Amino acid sequence: MLKEAKERDFEPSFVLFDTWYASLGNLKRVRDYGWHWLTRLKSNRLVNPDGEGNIPLSQAKIPPEGRVVHLKGYGFIKVFRTVSENGDGQYWATDDLQMDEASREDLESQGWRIEVYHRGIKQCCGIERAQVRKAVAQKNHFLYALRAFLRLEIHKLRTGNSWYEAKASIIREAIRAYLGNPTYSLTPTA
């Protein structure tokens, strides 16, 4: 995807991605394209915070304002440690050594909105459930799922009802209409 974005002349301010994609190869590719990145790193990634040798990220002291460390195999990065409400710690990293905590939080928020969109289009519109093989049918399914999502989003903006409530109300009404006038009836087998 990164290569495709570069070929299409994308020039993002930052590339945001999850821990799963934070391999050295991906980090280096983003750097080679001249883009900045922000991602989470696993606590076992090796860093050298003080020139004394590599240690797991979980053992490095990371102050609230972040800390510049050397990531093994990559180079210097800035790491922030956040703690969620349930006490779980996360390590955020960027190649922008001048980034402050407020900028990191803003980018994290933007990334979270993308995650929410993906969850919504999967759970409410079934974008990944196309049971078809032909490319044209897959494209149609994809476009109809996007259209359905946009309609749910417009409905949410107009009414304040969530995507999930809108979907549930459609299903409830369909069930109510069917029960009022059933087309098929099941015969008892016992």
Side-chain angles (χ1 to χ4, degrees):
M1 287 191 318
L2 293 170
K3 182 180 175 199
E4 187 79 21
K6 185 64 175 177
E7 289 172 358
R8 293 182 180 188
D9 295 324
F10 277 75
E11 289 298 330
S13 300
F14 273 86
V15 178
L16 307 173
F17 45 92
D18 202 6
T19 310
W20 185 260
Y21 301 101
S23 69
L24 285 176
N26 285 341
L27 298 179
K28 288 178 180 179
R29 175 161 295 182
V30 174
R31 177 180 61 194
D32 292 345
Y33 288 159
W35 302 336
H36 287 295
W37 53 264
L38 175 71
T39 187
R40 287 188 300 257
L41 294 179
K42 291 186 177 182
S43 61
N44 64 350
R45 293 293 287 266
L46 295 179
V47 297
N48 188 340
D50 52 14
E52 298 292 320
N54 291 321
I55 59 172
L57 190 51
S58 61
Q59 294 178 12
K61 291 190 183 344
I62 309 295
E65 65 274 8
R67 182 174 186 182
V68 175
V69 298
H70 187 273
L71 177 64
K72 182 178 179 182
Y74 179 82
F76 288 98
I77 62 171
K78 188 165 188 179
V79 177
F80 299 88
R81 184 172 190 275
T82 61
V83 179
S84 65
E85 293 175 2
N86 64 4
D88 291 340
Q90 294 182 335
Y91 296 95
W92 288 86
T94 181
D95 66 331
D96 180 1
L97 304 181
Q98 304 306 314
M99 182 179 284
D100 59 13
E101 175 59 16
S103 298
R104 188 210 58 79
E105 281 182 4
D106 182 53
L107 286 169
E108 178 186 0
S109 174
Q110 291 177 40
W112 181 248
R113 288 192 296 266
I114 295 167
E115 294 289 332
V116 169
Y117 157 76
H118 281 109
R119 187 173 1 150
I121 201 165
K122 288 176 183 177
Q123 292 178 357
C124 297
C125 302
I127 198 163
E128 57 186 3
R129 291 190 221 136
Q131 297 183 4
V132 294
R133 291 181 183 257
K134 291 187 177 179
V136 69
Q138 291 175 357
K139 287 177 188 176
N140 286 339
H141 174 79
F142 183 76
L143 291 173
Y144 285 130
L146 281 173
R147 184 175 182 200
F149 180 81
L150 289 173
R151 292 188 64 133
L152 286 173
E153 180 66 10
I154 289 168
H155 180 74
K156 181 182 95 171
L157 293 172
R158 286 183 180 158
T159 65
N161 293 340
S162 73
W163 307 320
Y164 302 98
E165 178 56 33
K167 180 182 174 184
S169 68
I170 292 167
I171 293 170
R172 276 193 301 268
E173 186 55 39
I175 291 171
R176 192 176 295 119
Y178 182 80
L179 291 175
N181 186 19
T183 308
Y184 303 99
S185 59
L186 299 174
T187 55
T189 58

